Amino acid sequence: MRVQCREPITTVFTWQVRPGKEDVFEEWTLGVTRSASRFVGNEGVSWLRPEEGHRYHAVLRFSDPERLGAWLTSEERARWHERIDGVATEVSSERQSTTGMETWFDLPGTTVQAPPRWKMALTTFLGAYPFTLLIQWLVTPHTGTWPLPLRAAVFPLILLPTLTFVVMPLLSRLLRRWLYAKR
């Protein structure tokens, strides 16, 4: 029997919103996000709103490509898309999907360049250090009698999902002006 390894997937969608229709589109984003969140395998949607202009980006995360595909081809999603006919258009030529941690900083399908490596390293340190301290303080004392491979597994099992789904998206938003400052 062959075990299939499923890897989470992140897809970035770009939407061109008609001038004057931003409020309608923003309300639509709330509904389609709620709808997608109830879909099996959905791990979250983040919307990046423009500071100027009319291009919005949705960063959609799913547990695996198959479940993402099921959402993308669903009748429910098609109905949501019909609702914004004349309000916004998906720029499908810019849609890209990625797997892995590069999505912490990189926005595939956009012209935004990833921040310099030193900024990525510093931001990752700022996100990881407090949780490393907490793990060392709260968890490590209780695992001292465990076999080394099991003790070693505790740290990444707690830290990596916390960074991927909570801390780094938050830090990337909070520090976006510094991370993506024009060079």
Side-chain angles (χ1 to χ4, degrees):
M1 182 170 124
R2 189 174 155 202
V3 176
Q4 184 177 0
C5 180
R6 292 187 173 199
E7 195 168 74
I9 185 166
T10 301
T11 301
V12 177
F13 298 87
T14 301
W15 292 91
Q16 183 66 40
V17 179
R18 285 195 168 170
K21 301 285 187 176
E22 296 84 3
D23 290 343
V24 175
F25 183 77
E26 295 236 359
E27 191 168 318
W28 176 84
T29 65
L30 298 174
V32 74
T33 299
R34 271 193 306 273
S35 179
S37 71
R38 292 188 297 268
F39 220 79
V40 175
N42 181 281
E43 294 182 349
V45 181
S46 299
W47 285 92
L48 305 172
R49 289 160 175 81
E51 290 185 23
E52 56 186 56
H54 305 282
R55 253 176 149 70
Y56 287 69
H57 302 282
V59 182
L60 179 64
R61 293 174 303 282
F62 264 82
S63 60
D64 58 75
E66 291 78 21
R67 290 190 170 136
L68 171 64
W71 163 251
L72 293 177
T73 59
S74 72
E75 289 181 24
E76 187 172 352
R77 181 176 182 268
R79 285 192 299 273
W80 277 102
H81 280 242
E82 288 171 5
R83 292 180 184 185
I84 57 163
D85 191 32
V87 173
T89 307
E90 182 188 349
V91 184
S92 57
S93 63
E94 293 187 11
R95 183 193 302 178
Q96 290 191 17
S97 298
T98 61
T99 58
M101 292 183 191
E102 71 275 8
T103 58
W104 283 354
F105 298 102
D106 193 43
L107 295 176
T110 68
T111 57
V112 178
Q113 289 184 337
R117 287 182 185 265
W118 70 270
K119 286 185 178 184
M120 289 191 282
L122 183 57
T123 303
T124 304
F125 175 80
L126 289 173
Y129 183 72
F131 289 95
T132 302
L133 273 176
L134 278 173
I135 292 168
Q136 294 296 319
W137 179 48
L138 297 173
V139 179
T140 303
H142 302 289
T143 61
T145 59
W146 295 9
L148 179 60
L150 192 54
R151 280 193 325 246
V154 169
F155 185 80
L157 283 173
I158 295 171
L159 185 64
L160 294 178
T162 303
L163 285 176
T164 300
F165 298 112
V166 180
V167 177
M168 295 310 292
L170 178 64
L171 278 178
S172 294
R173 269 193 304 268
L174 290 173
L175 300 175
R176 76 173 178 252
R177 288 195 174 148
W178 175 71
L179 284 167
Y180 300 101
K182 296 189 191 253
R183 296 179 199 176

